[in-house]
Amino acid sequence: MIIIFYLFSFLLLAFALGTVLSKNLVHSALLMIGSFFAVAGLYILLQAEFLAMVQILVYVGAIAVLVVFGVMLTRKGSVKDSNLPNRYKKVGALSAVIFFALLVRSIINTSFPAPSSPVVGANTIIQIAQTLLTQYAVAFEALGVLLLVAIIGAIIIGKETK
Amino acid sequence: MINEYGIIGIFLLGGIAFTLVCLVLSWLLSPHKRSVVKESTYECGLETSGVTWVQFKIQYFLYALVFVAFDVETVFLFPWAVAFNCLGMFAFAEMLVFVVILVLGLWYMWKEGALEWN
């Protein structure tokens, strides 16, 4: 169990480092997809299967496509040297270390009380569906409207650029 | 529950091992004679002209953006479909409203001619 955790963590860190250090932005995108998969693996280890499914469906399926399209559409010059921000290695490393220190500080200062009883049962997806469609029904429909706004906004912006 | 994912892990390892075995076997069995024709990118077919990394049409990005929105819709359709038997008529009507709201987006897209390729 702990070995699998370390395996996924190692994969995640390796893919993330590759994403940052690769000079080719398309390779970076591919490595980023790898790190998304590693995060999904960590979610499964935490028994958050729905989250893992969403991670693969939305991040690997859609966000990665969006990133790749963004690269293909806006690229100027040679793709072999397209990941320009990776020139700032020292500044990037410094900001990463500062951010890590901030995270560690807030993790240490937060108390994580153990749940008195197991909150989730065997079938989390069914529980999610029941809560979402009964208790949070209004929020659910508002979400539909929000997605509609996102679609219409995308179309309006996309039409303007034509 | 984790053990069920162990089966997926075994499948994954099996898949990787099978691919590696095939690659190594073909590398061992094939003759290693080099020639210019063999090492060209397209051994048969037309040579490419110009650079490979051309700039794509902006319309692809519009499709990707709308795809993300409909992909998020699928995330909510999925638990509804899994729990369909335990949910009542109310949930069905709710999901119908949800889908109709999003179909409005598709209708708008169609009306604005965003689906047309020119």
Side-chain angles (χ1 to χ4, degrees), chain B residues 46-67:
Chain B
L46 293 171
E47 291 282 322
T48 55
S49 66
V51 287
T52 316
W53 300 100
V54 293
Q55 197 160 3
F56 282 79
K57 282 183 76 170
I58 196 77
Q59 226 168 349
Y60 278 114
F61 197 66
L62 184 60
Y63 285 152
L65 275 176
V66 175
F67 171 62

Side-chain angles (χ1 to χ4, degrees), chain A residues 101-110 112:
Chain A
L102 277 174
L103 276 182
V104 167
R105 189 174 172 270
S106 51
I107 286 169
I108 288 170
N109 288 344
T110 313
F112 294 99

Side-chain angles (χ1 to χ4, degrees), chain A residues 49 57 73 75 133 141, chain B residues 1 53 55 57 71 94:
Chain A
E49 283 133 330
L57 197 70
L73 291 165
R75 191 190 54 80
L133 293 166
E141 298 302 342
Chain B
M1 179 121 36
W53 300 100
Q55 197 160 3
K57 282 183 76 170
D71 208 37
E94 232 178 310

Side-chain angles (χ1 to χ4, degrees), chain A residues 59-138:
Chain A
Y59 279 84
V60 177
I63 302 289
V65 169
L66 202 66
V67 168
V68 171
F69 277 1
V71 172
M72 299 299 219
L73 291 165
T74 57
R75 191 190 54 80
K76 282 192 176 68
S78 169
V79 80
K80 285 201 176 79
D81 197 20
S82 50
N83 198 356
L84 292 177
N86 82 351
R87 283 178 196 161
Y88 309 108
K89 285 199 178 70
K90 278 176 193 164
V91 182
L94 184 71
S95 54
V97 166
I98 292 170
F99 185 65
F100 182 70
L102 277 174
L103 276 182
V104 167
R105 189 174 172 270
S106 51
I107 286 169
I108 288 170
N109 288 344
T110 313
S111 65
F112 294 99
S116 51
S117 61
V119 186
V120 284
N123 244 323
T124 48
I125 291 175
I126 288 176
Q127 283 176 340
I128 287 168
Q130 277 168 343
T131 327
L132 192 70
L133 293 166
T134 52
Q135 200 181 339
Y136 297 105
V138 179

Side-chain angles (χ1 to χ4, degrees), chain A residues 1 3 7 12 20 23 25 77 88 90 94 115 124 135-136 154:
Chain A
M1 187 76 178
I3 295 167
L7 179 76
L12 176 58
V20 178
K23 281 199 164 59
L25 210 49
Y88 309 108
K90 278 176 193 164
L94 184 71
T124 48
Q135 200 181 339
Y136 297 105

Side-chain angles (χ1 to χ4, degrees), chain B residues 22 30 54:
Chain B
C22 283
S30 63
V54 293

